[in-house]
Amino acid sequence: MVEIELDGQKVEVTEGSMVMHAADKAGTYIPHFCYHKKLSIAANCRMCLVDVEKAPKPMPACATPVTQGMIVRTKSDKAIKAQQSVMEFLLINHPLDCPICDQGGECQLQDLAVGYGASSSRYEEEKRVVFHKDVGPLISMEEMSRCIHCTRCVRFGQEVAGVMELGMSHRGEHAEIETFVGSSVDSELSGNMIDICPVGALTSKPFRYSARTWELSRRKSVSPHDSTGANLIVQVKNNRVMRVLPLENEDVNECWIADRDRFSYEALNTPERLTQPMLKQGGQWQQVDWQTALEYVANGLKQIKADHGAHSIGTLASPHSTLEELHLAKLLMQGLGSANIDHRLRNAEFGAFEGVRWLGTSIASLSQLQRALVIGSNLRKDHPLFAQRIRQSVRKGGALSVLTSPELLVDDEAWAMPLANAVRVPAQDWIDVLAEIASAVAATTGAAAPIVRSAEPGDPAKAIAASLLSGERKAILLGNAAAHHAEARPLLALANWIGAQTGASVGYLTEAANTVGAQLVGALPMDAGLSASEMLLGGLKAVLLLNTEPVFDSAAGTQAADALTHAQMVVTMSPFKANLEFSDVLLPIAPFSETPGTFVNAEGRVQSFHAVVKPLGETRPAWKVLRVLANLLGLPGFSFESAAEVLADTGLSAGLVSADRLNNATAARPDGKRVSNAAAPVVAAIYQLDSIVRRAPSLQLTADARATQAQVAQEVLA
């Protein structure tokens, strides 16, 4: 540790720290623009100049290492005059357009200009003009004359997103930030560049000119998309979601969010929202009141139960639904006497429930991994924030190995990080490759191999085994394609054996915001209940679809529509006008922004949130709809008055779920034997994951969305 004196206060910091770090620890604010705690030090802006005793001139706090006994003054005349001089230079070319700037009211330059800027400028020449640039549907670069060349956006792309899409060209007054050869900014984390831009050079294109920051109410929420459980600040005006920003949580999402977390809110305000219950009568959709719709559903369920038995009724629930919704859906099925409920819509294997599948380690630990093996995941697109953490571990010297298929990209550019080892084989061959890795591990450790193979492990398998046997902090992570695989249990068994021999944790990245929560509350077939696959292929007379569109959300695809068309009654509970071709009833339920609820993320963290706006039109929270439907059916135990009461009934509370409730063990044998000739697992594209992102206009204009649409079109033509 090194001790310095900062404004008369003794501060101890680790050796190698900068003066800025000491100031942060002491709670002393030093003005800055280019410095950011998550990015490398550039020392571009010079706004953080401070007075260091015995130094001949002011020194940048962000780039000056501390030394024992150093004396620093941040508020001396020398420091203040240096900072004022820098501010004068920064404002020389900055346009005087604060009244129309989208950054107005939350602009770092604007704030610091009040304290360090002069009341008038000595600069009389013409200000420079930088031509605007079109970099895609999410980020606006219309006013690049405002740019102060802090290079935060450049460093973010290179260091955090892993893709250096922006750079600085030319020199001096001709320098400007731009993409290379007119490219667009396509990173799945690109929106964070808007947050870290200290001026109004990079702004949100969907939000542009729609509201002033001081008009917005700020409310906390949790992302309903992937399993990170990113913490959000949702900004609201006139009962309408206007913008979504990250809420810093070092244990979960740090200070970043993925673009689908940031821009999916557009779907909440589209004409596709379902705002009134609807019944299909004579092939035509008619709007009705809630009483009529719910009585129709209740009477239909009673009649079908009487005619065909309770086993003919089932619920297909999205793992993006809240804990409360899934819990009441399960209780509803139990009350009716049915064991048919499932959230595993994209799975191909449905073995007996063995335990709640989870990440197997903490999210924060992903940033510190020394060795990792990712199986069956297009990590960047499936879990952008997990990929970002693993990218940090690789930057620190960690080694990442990948086992994936031709359908999933596997090279350094596609993963936006160096890959130590990469094996790309058809999904049905993953068992063979894992078996080879296990054999290579056994040959090195002397352990009894779990399999008997005639062939020697190949060089890639040996390299992956050697990687996992080295280092200390290690993880084997199974992605969405591994979870949806027809041989998911044998894959897990082999991964568990390799993990046990190498000292690596083993876990699933998990697909959706509440995949872990759905397992915890038992949204799974009970006893002899039908699996999602069996229900989707025509096993039911009455189907309740909770927050899901089976054609897009399930492995059955269009076959699901054909099967559901033959059911006597299909009830869709959705925020959107969905499943119109085969539904009989549409019940408008609230999306995450209009209902209180709880999600459990991949690491088993229980996070509750409140509604940030009132329900749109006649929309109602799904937990209330399920409760009232149960009341109409005369089922006991549905007297809940609030979402908090439903959560209490699950036995879960805020914080991390106890380890004894999470379990990645399996009874499957790690023998490496081929069980089936499985087709490629079904994995949703980044902007097709759920009903909200599918309806977000700006996200559907991105390069990732266009690539998905082109791929689908090609398959249709074939």
Side-chain angles (χ1 to χ4, degrees):
M1 299 293 286
V2 175
E3 184 179 82
I4 71 168
E5 183 182 306
L6 185 77
D7 292 339
Q9 177 184 355
K10 299 290 185 182
V11 184
E12 259 195 348
V13 290
T14 56
E15 190 173 356
S17 298
M18 302 296 162
V19 171
M20 184 70 81
H21 301 143
D24 287 343
K25 186 172 182 180
T28 299
Y29 178 73
I30 299 176
H32 60 274
F33 293 112
C34 68
Y35 171 77
H36 191 282
K37 64 183 179 180
K38 295 290 184 181
L39 303 176
S40 62
I41 292 169
N44 288 338
C45 71
R46 319 306 282 185
M47 191 65 209
C48 64
L49 292 176
V50 294
D51 180 8
V52 178
E53 192 169 280
K54 297 183 180 177
K57 59 181 180 180
M59 305 293 288
C62 69
T64 302
V66 295
T67 58
Q68 183 64 36
M70 175 187 278
I71 299 175
V72 181
R73 301 179 184 90
T74 67
K75 301 197 168 44
S76 66
D77 286 345
K78 185 177 179 180
I80 296 296
K81 286 179 181 176
Q83 292 162 358
Q84 289 174 339
S85 297
V86 170
M87 178 58 71
E88 183 177 19
F89 276 108
L90 289 174
L91 293 176
I92 280 175
N93 279 306
H94 196 80
L96 299 175
D97 60 354
C98 291
I100 60 139
C101 178
D102 250 9
Q103 196 85 351
E106 53 187 7
C107 174
Q108 212 172 327
L109 181 66
Q110 190 179 56
D111 293 342
L112 292 179
V114 173
Y116 298 90
S119 58
S120 60
S121 173
R122 293 184 288 175
Y123 188 77
E124 297 179 354
E125 288 77 13
E126 291 183 1
K127 292 179 180 285
R128 79 171 195 151
V129 175
V130 180
F131 191 68
H132 67 82
K133 302 162 182 68
D134 184 2
V135 294
L138 305 180
I139 299 178
S140 172
M141 295 180 73
E142 291 292 315
E143 288 89 11
M144 289 306 292
S145 298
R146 300 171 184 161
C147 178
I148 61 170
H149 302 157
C150 70
T151 69
R152 278 186 179 183
C153 56
V154 177
R155 284 174 286 146
F156 172 84
Q158 188 174 21
E159 298 165 14
V160 180
V163 185
M164 190 175 174
E165 295 176 296
L166 294 176
M168 185 182 291
S169 61
H170 312 302
R171 301 183 67 182
E173 70 170 4
H174 301 294
E176 56 183 284
I177 300 292
E178 59 183 338
T179 58
F180 299 100
V181 203
S183 302
S184 55
V185 175
D186 299 320
S187 165
E188 61 283 351
L189 298 172
S190 65
N192 293 292
M193 294 179 183
I194 299 167
D195 292 341
I196 62 176
C197 181
V199 295
L202 303 181
T203 54
S204 168
K205 191 171 280 189
F207 175 72
R208 185 175 166 82
Y209 294 147
S210 60
R212 306 297 294 188
T213 182
W214 53 84
E215 299 173 325
L216 302 173
S217 300
R218 292 160 177 78
R219 293 155 191 176
K220 298 178 183 179
S221 191
V222 177
S223 168
H225 306 305
D226 66 38
S227 60
T228 308
N231 290 198
L232 310 176
I233 292 290
V234 181
Q235 299 189 334
V236 175
K237 178 183 177 184
N238 296 333
N239 204 45
R240 182 185 175 100
V241 176
M242 304 298 293
R243 185 166 61 167
V244 175
L245 300 174
L247 173 63
E248 186 170 350
N249 185 334
E250 278 297 312
D251 293 330
V252 181
N253 55 297
E254 300 175 89
C255 56
W256 317 119
I257 54 174
D259 285 352
R260 65 181 166 205
D261 302 327
R262 183 184 301 272
F263 297 108
S264 63
Y265 74 87
E266 285 188 293
L268 306 175
N269 306 318
T270 62
E272 288 190 62
R273 282 294 303 273
L274 178 65
T275 58
Q276 184 83 18
M278 300 181 77
L279 291 180
K280 187 183 287 183
Q281 298 175 333
Q284 300 296 315
W285 285 103
Q286 304 291 332
Q287 290 188 349
V288 296
D289 58 53
W290 270 105
Q291 187 71 20
T292 302
L294 288 174
E295 285 181 353
Y296 179 91
V297 174
N299 292 335
L301 291 175
K302 289 176 183 176
Q303 188 62 49
I304 291 170
K305 179 180 178 180
D307 294 344
H308 304 282
H311 64 274
S312 66
I313 302 171
T315 296
L316 291 164
S318 167
H320 299 276
S321 303
T322 68
L323 207 62
E324 293 81 356
E325 294 163 1
L326 292 166
H327 180 59
L328 290 187
K330 173 199 170 185
L331 294 182
L332 179 66
M333 288 297 101
Q334 284 181 332
L336 286 168
S338 171
N340 305 325
I341 180 170
D342 209 345
H343 71 279
R344 301 167 298 174
L345 303 177
R346 293 190 174 99
N347 285 29
E349 183 197 67
F350 300 91
F353 178 72
E354 296 179 309
V356 175
R357 305 314 194 198
W358 68 298
L359 188 62
T361 184
S362 68
I363 290 175
S365 71
L366 298 179
S367 302
Q368 306 300 325
L369 291 176
Q370 294 178 340
R371 301 290 183 270
L373 169 60
V374 175
I375 303 166
S377 176
N378 188 4
L379 190 64
R380 267 184 69 190
K381 307 304 179 183
D382 293 346
H383 301 89
L385 293 174
F386 289 171
Q388 171 297 111
R389 283 193 179 269
I390 293 176
R391 190 172 298 118
Q392 302 316 308
S393 72
V394 172
R395 285 176 59 84
K396 297 170 189 171
L400 173 63
S401 301
V402 173
L403 170 58
T404 186
S405 62
E407 295 83 19
L408 305 175
L409 299 175
V410 56
D411 56 46
D412 291 11
E413 183 179 351
W415 281 60
M417 68 184 92
L419 300 179
N421 305 286
V423 180
R424 187 180 189 181
V425 296
Q428 60 264 32
D429 294 332
W430 291 352
I431 286 279
D432 294 335
V433 176
L434 277 185
E436 287 186 30
I437 295 170
S439 293
V441 169
T444 303
T445 62
I451 37 100
V452 178
R453 296 184 55 82
S454 56
E456 281 292 314
D459 290 340
K462 289 179 180 178
I464 293 174
S467 177
L468 288 175
L469 285 165
S470 62
E472 295 179 0
R473 297 181 296 275
K474 297 170 272 193
I476 299 174
L477 302 168
L478 293 98
N480 294 349
H484 301 159
H485 202 283
E487 297 167 324
R489 292 173 70 238
L491 283 172
L492 175 59
L494 274 168
N496 278 337
W497 189 92
I498 296 168
Q501 296 300 315
T502 60
S505 65
V506 178
Y508 285 96
L509 294 165
T510 71
E511 177 184 18
N514 211 19
T515 300
V516 175
Q519 297 172 82
L520 284 167
V521 298
L524 297 157
M526 298 164 275
D527 304 320
L530 300 178
S531 68
S533 177
E534 292 167 323
M535 287 189 270
L536 285 165
L537 294 177
L540 300 174
K541 296 295 183 183
V543 188
L544 274 65
L545 300 175
L546 176 57
N547 207 19
T548 184
E549 299 170 81
V551 172
F552 304 105
D553 293 333
S554 76
T558 54
Q559 289 182 340
D562 297 335
L564 292 170
T565 301
H566 295 97
Q568 282 185 224
M569 184 174 71
V570 178
V571 180
T572 289
M573 302 171 64
S574 172
F576 303 101
K577 298 169 184 174
N579 305 327
L580 296 176
E581 64 273 29
F582 51 77
S583 293
D584 300 288
V585 187
L586 299 181
L587 302 179
I589 61 170
F592 80 104
S593 57
E594 299 169 17
T595 180
T598 304
F599 293 135
V600 185
N601 70 3
E603 67 176 352
R605 185 179 297 272
V606 180
Q607 300 185 108
S608 294
F609 54 91
H610 297 288
V612 298
V613 293
K614 295 177 182 177
L616 184 65
E618 290 298 308
T619 299
R620 295 290 181 267
W623 72 267
K624 286 189 177 180
V625 176
L626 290 165
R627 183 202 63 191
V628 174
L629 181 57
N631 294 154
L632 290 173
L633 288 166
L635 304 180
F638 284 84
S639 57
F640 306 106
E641 293 296 326
S642 67
E645 287 185 21
V646 182
L647 178 62
D649 196 58
T650 67
L652 296 168
S653 57
L656 290 171
V657 176
S658 60
D660 59 353
R661 299 190 66 172
L662 305 170
N663 184 7
N664 288 321
T666 177
R669 295 181 57 190
D671 53 17
K673 292 181 180 176
R674 183 71 59 78
V675 200
S676 65
N677 227 353
V682 176
V683 178
I686 183 170
Y687 299 134
Q688 294 293 319
L689 182 63
D690 58 63
S691 59
I692 296 179
V693 295
R694 279 196 290 272
R695 291 172 171 83
S698 295
L699 290 179
Q700 295 307 318
L701 295 173
T702 61
D704 278 325
R706 293 197 302 272
T708 304
Q709 291 159 5
Q711 185 178 2
V712 171
Q714 188 176 8
E715 290 173 357
V716 171
L717 289 172

